Amino acid sequence: MAGLGYGTTGLTVGQRVFGLTDWSRDGSLAEFTAVEARNLAPLPADLDHTVAAALPISGLTAWQGLFDHGGLRPGQTVLVHGAAGGVGSIAVQLARAAGARVIGTGRAGDRDLAGDLGVHTFLDLGAGELGQAGEVDLVFDVIGGEVLQRSTELVRAGGTVVTIAAPPTAHPKDGRAIFFVVEPDRARLADLAERVRSGRLRPVVGAVRPLSETAAAFAGRRVPGKTIIEVTAGE
C-alpha cells in the first residue's frame, strides 16, 4: 500500500493488502489505483501476490453465488458450469467443503483438473453431456446463453439458478433464477485467504502476463484458471 486517505484507519502505509475494487469503477489495471479501504484485507506474509490476485473476484463471486444467493446446504447437489475456470474452480472447492454433491461442466480438456478440484461428476459440454446431470438443487452459471437456458430445466422444484453472465430469460419451474454482480467483502476475503493458507482452497492460476500485454492476455486462447496481470515483476 503506497498511501492512505485522511482519516483511514485499520491499515498502514507499506502493508501488504489485497481486495476488490467497486465493480462500477474502471482503472484498476494500472501501476497505482485508488481503492476504498473497506474493500481491502491484509495479505498474510506467506501468500504471494499472484495467488492473492486470483482470490478476490473469483473467490467472492463463488462464495456469494453459492451461499448468499444460492443458499447451498450440505447434502444438496450443485451444478457448476466452467468448473476449471477462475470462478468455477473455486466454487467447486467451496461446495465440496460445504458437504454438497458437485457436478462440474467444461470442455473435454478440463476433466482431469475438475476431478482434482473435487467434482463428483464431470460433464463435457462439447459432447452434449449436460442432460446427464439429472435433477439438481442449484445451478451456478458463468456461461449464459443456451447453456443457461437448458440448465433451468435441470433444477428440481424449489431450486435455484444463479448466474453472473446475464439476467436470465427463463426460470426453473417452481424455483428461482438470480443474476448478481459480485460485491467487495473484507471479512470474506480474510476467510478465503485463511482457507488457502491451511490448504483447504487452491486458486487455479492460469496465465501470468505483464501489464504491457494486458489486451493480448484477455483476447487470446482460453486457458484454465484465472489470468493474472503482473504489474511489477517479482511481486
Side-chain angles (χ1 to χ4, degrees), residues 19-224:
L20 177 67
T21 58
D22 289 320
W23 192 257
S24 59
R25 291 187 56 206
D26 292 327
S28 60
L29 283 171
E31 293 177 324
F32 293 93
T33 188
V35 183
E36 288 192 58
R38 63 186 178 88
N39 295 346
L40 299 174
L43 177 62
D46 52 356
L47 288 186
D48 66 41
H49 288 283
T50 300
V51 171
L55 266 181
I57 189 169
S58 296
L60 292 178
T61 299
W63 183 277
Q64 291 168 18
L66 290 173
F67 304 111
D68 295 345
H69 299 288
L72 185 65
R73 301 189 303 275
Q76 290 188 323
T77 298
V78 56
L79 174 64
V80 178
H81 287 308
V87 175
S89 60
I90 292 184
V92 166
Q93 296 174 75
L94 293 177
R96 271 298 299 257
R101 176 174 175 262
V102 184
I103 302 172
T105 75
R107 305 178 184 183
D110 298 329
R111 187 181 300 274
D112 289 344
L113 176 56
D116 290 343
L117 294 171
V119 299
H120 295 88
T121 303
F122 179 82
L123 302 177
D124 180 358
L125 293 179
E129 296 178 354
L130 181 57
Q132 300 176 21
E135 285 193 333
V136 302
D137 299 287
L138 173 63
V139 172
F140 188 9
D141 169 68
V142 300
I143 300 174
E146 182 183 357
V147 170
L148 174 58
Q149 183 85 14
R150 293 175 58 200
S151 298
T152 62
E153 302 169 5
L154 304 174
V155 178
R156 58 173 51 98
T160 305
V161 171
V162 175
T163 180
I164 62 172
T169 58
H171 290 66
K173 185 178 180 180
D174 299 322
R176 301 181 301 152
I178 299 170
F179 167 75
F180 81 99
V181 175
V182 64
E183 296 182 357
D185 186 331
R186 174 187 282 187
R188 184 56 58 196
L189 276 177
D191 170 70
L192 292 169
E194 184 55 39
R195 289 169 184 260
V196 174
R197 295 181 69 203
S198 63
R200 293 175 292 149
L201 181 64
R202 174 167 65 97
V204 178
V205 176
V208 180
R209 306 282 289 274
L211 183 62
S212 60
E213 298 178 10
T214 296
F218 294 106
R221 181 178 60 86
R222 171 190 172 273
V223 296

